[in-house]
């Protein structure tokens, strides 16, 4: 920069040549005066503006205040020359803060540079936005940055900078970024061929997904697929291999991203993840002599172990990980010991059994004396998490011993954790009191008020403990050095329960008074105020020392502290009343037990740990603490879901009979069943599980046809065709979904997602990980496994998204309906009649009347009616109904959880009225309405044609 501007070079040389600061300031003042004059006179060309602004920047970098050059910097940004534009952007980012009024003048220039098809200008503009990033700039330009990120014409370098700029804006102004709205489009870039772009976008997705889990759920499949390609298939260029480890930074981020979501129920994804984690652990089993390779490999390994623990603590992978971690915590490298202890704490926070961790308890305890404080802190966290009833006394004892020599930075946290463990795993109340008093004596000023408050609550609420607590506290008060917190506990406990030990030798009232009053001379005013309350309690229970107590009140009546003086005056007046006065007795009654409440220690500890901003999915403290945390999170989530889906009523439970039951041909069949109407309206009113489901005459017709046929087109447009082939047996089914690319360019970032309204009733999973690219003029196949567990009414929704010039998203209903799991059965007329009658009417009957179309010759369309009924898997029974135009069907619905359910059908078309009545009877109330609806819809006159 300076070599092209001789004036700037000379100015820098003069500054460096100044021997004293006065000469430097004189030279700078002279130059600033000249620059002001030049700017005021105007008529400067681009080169001169660039030179003078560069001098202003150099002066600013030296630490001097500058008040010129702002407008000139704004003008330089609009210059078509790169060197001038670069200086302008540099000046804007250095001289202007996010609330500067000058920024409003540069927004349009920045937007113009973002819109240009020039990657250099794009990057300069993105740098300025990320470095300044005020609210107004974020609101005005975030859409432009997002457009650069998703543009197919943007270079990889621009995409990387755009992703990181959006990340910067989101961290500063999260409300400005419509994260949920952009979710699918941003996640699709995780399939980019450039791993550098994938790394930057994954970093952005991690930040957005933490606050918007559901909209970014599709990133789970993307992350698993990318990890599989990196670790198992080795799909990466040599550029991104760091000491033979494929893009370790990307691997770490993907593994961490997966921990934000609960483990997937899809067996294909679980199997793929298992392969990835197994490959990572196997490749890291033995260290090499190359330190850089070891560091990269271990970074990935520790995150992989964390994910394995998150997925299933009982898996063989976690057992393998436990063996590796045992080796790591005894490593000579500080970083490895640190990560080993931290990951073991994660295992302790999730595992059902702590036996594997307890084997290394002695080594963890010795890590408390490690030379590195960060390792000592992680050892403390691990001991806190691995503590239980069996080892609590040992761990608490060790922590108490270490507390006396621990770093001051650790003591406050140690005190809280020791207090929590002592209360949580106390084998007896006496051990609890002894331990807490030892803690107060050892920790001193690091004991917060919450600790001794909690001790008082437990002693007050435990009657058997009161005399022992008073005796032990009195003995501790006799020691020469007593901390003020112990004096507070002693004042409260002896004031309430000192009379329980007053008759014991060495614990007389006068001795209790002497020891407390001696300690009060070294205490602060609040503690002495508490002791005055203790004395008034003693006036009531120890009349023999009343004169001494009144004398103390008399002396405190003249102190300068207003709180002490007021208490002393009031207590003096109370103590001076006659002995038979009931007022003193009523005022000084023993305090009642405290109401049950949550320990303030836990909330204080969680608040302290939460202040770090750590986005972990677990907390220190054992499995029960993490389960409580997840339960609270699930409760908040379920409350939100109830508010969203209040209109959706749960399906009623029904008895499942083991056989089909009877038919009554003589019964009334002209009225529409109210049950059928209710069930059908519930189905229609139920909200769809995915937004923007593809609709249209052809789409509805294709879907409707596939409900009673096994293959056909599900969706088609100018870019893509989706076809279906299916087969079912019992409660199991398999769908082959064919994705045909109709254009001459590949469909990239191809993502398929399945949403099931009720996972407990229907399961839909991929047979293998779907491909992320569909080649031009070709098709790919995806196999889906389907299982019917219970009755369901809403078909699953398949959401397809891909890049083909722009990002496309299509949500399609899959033709998986309840009748697909029906097995046709053949019945004799007598069996059919008997079972129809046994089932009876509503609520196990659904009936409706609907208009139908006739053939071109004016006859009933028997072939269509027969095809629909047989396509719905019901067996069409011949010679059952005396009317030859009527159709009668029977079948058994198979469900893996609710078992088998019988279904009977009677279809009565009327050619003259162009109406048809359909009656369905079933042994399940949940099934009957849905079967009736599925039969009626394709036969109705208003069906999609």
């Amino acid at each position: 920069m300076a070599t092209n501007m001789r004036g700037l070079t000379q100015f820098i040389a003069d500054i460096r040549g100044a021997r004293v600061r006065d000469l430097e300031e004189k030279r700078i003042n002279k130059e600033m005066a000249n620059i002001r004059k030049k700017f005021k006179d105007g008529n400067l060309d681009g080169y001169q503006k660039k030179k003078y602004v560069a001098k202003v920047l150099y002066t600013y970098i030296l630490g001097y205040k500058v008040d010129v050059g702002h407008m000139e910097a704004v003008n330089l940004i609009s210059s078509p020359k790169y060197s001038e534009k670069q200086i302008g952007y540099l000046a804007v980012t250095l001289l202007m803060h996010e609330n500067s009024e000058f920024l409003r003048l540069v927004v349009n220039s920045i937007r113009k540079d973002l819109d240009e098809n020039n990657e250099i200008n794009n990057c300069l503009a993105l740098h300025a936005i990320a470095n300044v990033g005020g609210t107004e700039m974020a609101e005005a330009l975030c859409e432009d940055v997002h457009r650069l990120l998703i543009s197919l014409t943007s270079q990889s370098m621009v995409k990387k900078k755009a992703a990181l700029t959006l990340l910067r804006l989101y961290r500063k102004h999260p409300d400005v970024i419509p994260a949920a709205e952009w979710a699918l489009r941003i996640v699709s870039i995780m399939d980019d061929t450039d791993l550098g772009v994938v790394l930057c976008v994954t970093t952005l997705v991690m930040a957005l997904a933490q606050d918007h889990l559901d909209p970014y759920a599709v990133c789970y499949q993307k992350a698993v697929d990318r990890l599989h390609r990196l670790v198992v298939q080795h799909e990466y260029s040599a550029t991104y291999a760091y000491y033979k480890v494929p893009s370790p930074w990307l691997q770490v981020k993907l593994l961490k991203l997966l921990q934000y979501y609960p483990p997937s129920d899809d067996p294909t994804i679980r199997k793929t993840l298992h392969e990835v984690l197994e490959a990572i652990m196997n490749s890291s089993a033995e260290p090499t002599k190359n330190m850089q390779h070891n560091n990269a490999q271990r970074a990935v390994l520790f995150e992989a172990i964390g994910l394995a623990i998150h997925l299933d603590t009982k898996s063989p992978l976690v057992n393998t990980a436990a063996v590796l971690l045992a080796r790591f915590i005894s490593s000579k490298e500080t970083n490895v010991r640190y990560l080993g202890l931290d990951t073991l704490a994660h295992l302790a926070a999730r595992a059902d059994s702590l036996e594997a961790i307890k084997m290394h308890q002695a080594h963890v305890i010795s890590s408390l004396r490690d030379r590195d404080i960060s390792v000592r802190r992680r050892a403390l966290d691990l001991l806190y998490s691995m503590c239980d009833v069996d080892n609590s006394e040992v761990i608490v004892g060790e922590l108490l011993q270490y507390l006396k020599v621990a770093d001051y930075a650790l003591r406050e946290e140690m005190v809280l954790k020791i207090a929590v463990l002592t209360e949580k795993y106390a084998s007896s109340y006496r051990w609890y009191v002894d331990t807490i008093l030892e803690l107060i004596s050892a920790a001193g000023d690091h004991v917060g008020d919450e600790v001794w408050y909690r001790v008082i609550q437990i002693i007050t609420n435990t009657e058997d403990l009161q005399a022992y607590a008073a005796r032990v506290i009195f003995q501790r008060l006799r020691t020469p050095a007593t901390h003020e917190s112990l004096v507070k506990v002693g004042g409260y406990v002896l004031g309430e329960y000192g009379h329980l030990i007053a008759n014991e030798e060495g614990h007389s009232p006068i001795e209790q008074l002497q020891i407390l009053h001696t300690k009060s001379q070294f205490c602060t005013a609040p503690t002495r105020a508490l002791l005055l309350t203790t004395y008034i309690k003693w006036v009531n229970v120890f009349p023999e020392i009343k004169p001494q107590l009144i004398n103390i009140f008399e002396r405190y009546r003249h102190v300068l502290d207003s709180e002490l003086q007021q208490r002393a005056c009031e207590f003096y007046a109370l103590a001076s009343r006659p002995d038979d006065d009931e007022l003193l007795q009523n005022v000084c009654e023993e305090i009642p037990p405290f109401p049950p409440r949550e320990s303030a220690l836990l909330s204080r500890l969680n608040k302290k740990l939460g202040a770090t901003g750590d986005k972990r999915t677990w907390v220190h403290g054992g499995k029960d603490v993490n389960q409580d945390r997840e339960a609270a999170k699930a409760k908040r989530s379920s409350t939100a879901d109830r508010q969203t889906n209040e209109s959706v009523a749960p399906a009623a439970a029904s008895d499942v009979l083991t056989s089909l039951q009877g038919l009554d041909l003589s019964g009334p069949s002209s009225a529409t069943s109210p049950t059928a109407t209710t069930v059908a309206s519930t189905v229609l009113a139920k909200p769809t599980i995915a937004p923007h489901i593809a609709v249209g005459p052809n789409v509805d017709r294709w879907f409707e046809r596939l409900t009673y046929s096994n293959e056909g087109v599900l969706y088609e447009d100018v870019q893509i065709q989706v076809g279906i082939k299916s087969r079912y047996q019992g409660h199991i089914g398999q769908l082959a979904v064919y994705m045909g690319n109709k254009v001459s360019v590949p469909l990239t970032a191809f993502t398929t997602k399945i949403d099931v309204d009720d996972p407990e009733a229907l399961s839909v999973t991929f047979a293998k990980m779907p491909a992320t690219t569909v080649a031009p003029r070709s098709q790919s196949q995806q196999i889906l496994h389907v299982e019917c567990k219970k009755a369901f009414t809403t078909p699953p929704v398949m959401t397809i998204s891909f890049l083909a010039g722009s990002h496309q998203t299509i949500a399609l209903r899959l033709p998986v309906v309840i009748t697909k799991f029906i097995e046709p059965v053949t019945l004799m007329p007598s069996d059919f009649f008997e079972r129809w009658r046994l089932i009876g009417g509503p609520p196990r009957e659904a009936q409706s009347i609907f208009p139908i179309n006739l053939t071109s010759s004016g006859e009933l369309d028997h072939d269509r009616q027969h095809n629909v009924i047989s396509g719905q898997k019901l067996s069409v029974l011949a010679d059952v109904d005396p009317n030859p135009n009527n159709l009668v069907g029977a079948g058994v619905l198979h469900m893996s959880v609710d078992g088998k359910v019988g279904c009977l059908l009677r279809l009565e078309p009327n050619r003259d009225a162009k109406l048809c009545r359909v009656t369905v009877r079933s042994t399940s109330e949940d099934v009957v309405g849905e079967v009736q609806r599925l039969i009626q819809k394709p036969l109705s006159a208003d069906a999609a044609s």
Side-chain angles (χ1 to χ4, degrees), residues 17-289:
R19 298 181 180 179
V20 293
R21 183 174 180 82
D22 291 341
L23 293 176
E24 179 181 299
E25 291 181 357
K26 184 178 179 180
R27 179 68 180 89
I28 287 175
N29 291 335
K30 178 182 177 181
E31 190 64 39
M32 288 297 104
N34 180 54
I35 292 174
R36 287 190 189 94
K37 182 177 182 302
K38 293 292 185 181
F39 285 162
K40 184 177 180 180
D41 294 341
N43 298 324
L44 298 176
D45 58 20
Y47 170 78
Q48 291 173 320
K49 287 181 182 179
K50 176 182 70 171
K51 179 179 65 174
Y52 292 134
V53 170
K55 291 182 180 181
V56 170
L57 288 178
Y58 185 74
T59 305
Y60 177 79
I61 292 172
L62 290 178
Y64 292 91
K65 290 184 179 181
V66 295
D67 54 2
V68 295
H70 295 79
M71 280 303 303
E72 284 68 24
V74 172
N75 295 331
L76 283 174
I77 288 180
S78 304
S79 172
K81 294 183 179 180
Y82 169 73
S83 61
E84 297 173 8
K85 187 183 291 287
Q86 182 190 35
I87 293 293
Y89 272 115
L90 183 60
V92 166
T93 55
L94 285 177
L95 301 181
M96 301 181 191
H97 56 81
E98 62 180 51
N99 297 319
S100 173
E101 295 181 358
F102 287 99
L103 285 181
R104 298 175 183 175
L105 304 176
V106 302
V107 167
N108 287 332
S109 298
I110 293 177
R111 180 179 285 115
K112 181 181 177 182
D113 287 336
L114 291 175
D115 291 340
E116 285 185 8
N117 190 20
N118 184 323
E119 63 183 71
I120 300 298
N121 291 351
N122 294 160
C123 293
L124 286 175
L126 290 171
H127 286 168
I129 297 171
N131 283 315
V132 180
T135 305
E136 292 184 9
M137 183 176 284
E139 292 174 349
L141 298 174
C142 67
E143 294 279 354
D144 299 274
V145 177
H146 175 251
R147 178 184 50 76
L148 268 184
L149 172 63
I150 66 176
S151 174
L152 296 179
T153 59
S154 294
Q155 299 293 325
S156 295
M157 179 174 65
V158 176
K159 286 185 178 181
K160 289 188 282 188
K161 294 183 184 297
L164 297 179
T165 300
L166 273 183
L167 176 63
R168 168 73 169 166
L169 293 179
Y170 181 76
R171 286 174 173 170
K172 290 190 68 175
H173 313 287
D175 297 335
V176 173
I177 308 298
E181 180 183 335
W182 293 348
L184 287 176
R185 189 62 186 88
I186 291 176
V187 170
S188 67
I189 310 176
M190 292 176 67
D191 285 326
D192 198 279
T193 55
D194 190 319
L195 289 185
V197 175
V198 177
L199 175 61
C200 294
V201 171
T202 302
T203 307
L204 174 62
V205 169
M206 285 179 65
L208 299 175
Q210 288 171 8
D211 301 323
H212 306 85
L213 281 176
D214 291 339
Y216 285 85
V218 68
C219 73
Y220 196 95
Q221 180 179 324
K222 298 280 188 187
V224 173
D225 180 63
R226 178 63 71 175
L227 280 171
H228 187 261
R229 285 191 280 162
L230 278 176
V231 178
V232 179
Q233 299 177 351
H234 303 290
E235 291 185 15
Y236 59 91
S237 63
T239 309
Y240 290 98
Y242 179 79
Y243 290 92
K244 300 182 181 179
V245 180
S247 191
W249 296 277
L250 178 58
Q251 288 192 57
V252 167
K253 288 182 182 295
L254 292 172
L255 292 167
K256 190 183 291 291
L257 176 62
L258 292 175
Q259 295 179 54
Y260 294 154
Y261 289 90
S264 174
D265 295 328
D266 192 318
T268 304
I269 292 180
R270 290 204 303 268
K271 179 182 177 182
T272 306
L273 262 183
H274 187 275
E275 290 180 15
V276 170
L277 296 177
E278 189 173 39
I280 292 174
M281 291 188 186
N282 290 340
S283 63
S284 307
E286 294 298 331
T288 64
K289 294 182 179 180

Side-chain angles (χ1 to χ4, degrees), residues 392-433:
S392 58
E393 293 192 17
V394 176
I395 289 180
V396 170
E398 289 290 344
L399 291 178
L400 280 173
Q401 290 296 321
Y402 175 64
L403 179 63
K404 300 173 182 177
V405 296
D407 302 80
Y408 287 102
L410 283 177
R411 288 193 180 185
E412 183 179 358
E413 184 180 341
M414 286 190 69
V415 168
L416 287 172
K417 289 184 174 179
I418 292 171
V420 170
L421 294 178
T422 304
E423 179 182 343
K424 188 175 181 180
Y425 300 112
S427 55
S428 67
Y429 282 117
R430 295 193 172 192
W431 178 77
Y432 170 76
V433 170

Side-chain angles (χ1 to χ4, degrees), residues 830-846:
S830 58
D831 295 334
F832 191 89
F833 297 151
E834 178 187 357
R835 296 177 184 185
W836 183 272
R837 280 191 290 268
L838 286 175
I839 292 177
R844 295 184 178 181
E845 177 186 88

Side-chain angles (χ1 to χ4, degrees), residues 265 648-652 686-689 754-764 787-797 898 926:
D265 295 328
V648 182
K686 189 168 183 177
T688 55
I689 58 179
I754 303 295
D755 291 301
V756 180
D757 185 55
D758 186 3
E760 294 184 358
L762 180 68
S763 170
V764 182
E787 179 184 5
C788 178
K789 303 175 184 177
K790 300 179 181 179
F792 63 95
T793 58
T794 306
V797 174
D898 285 354
D926 298 335

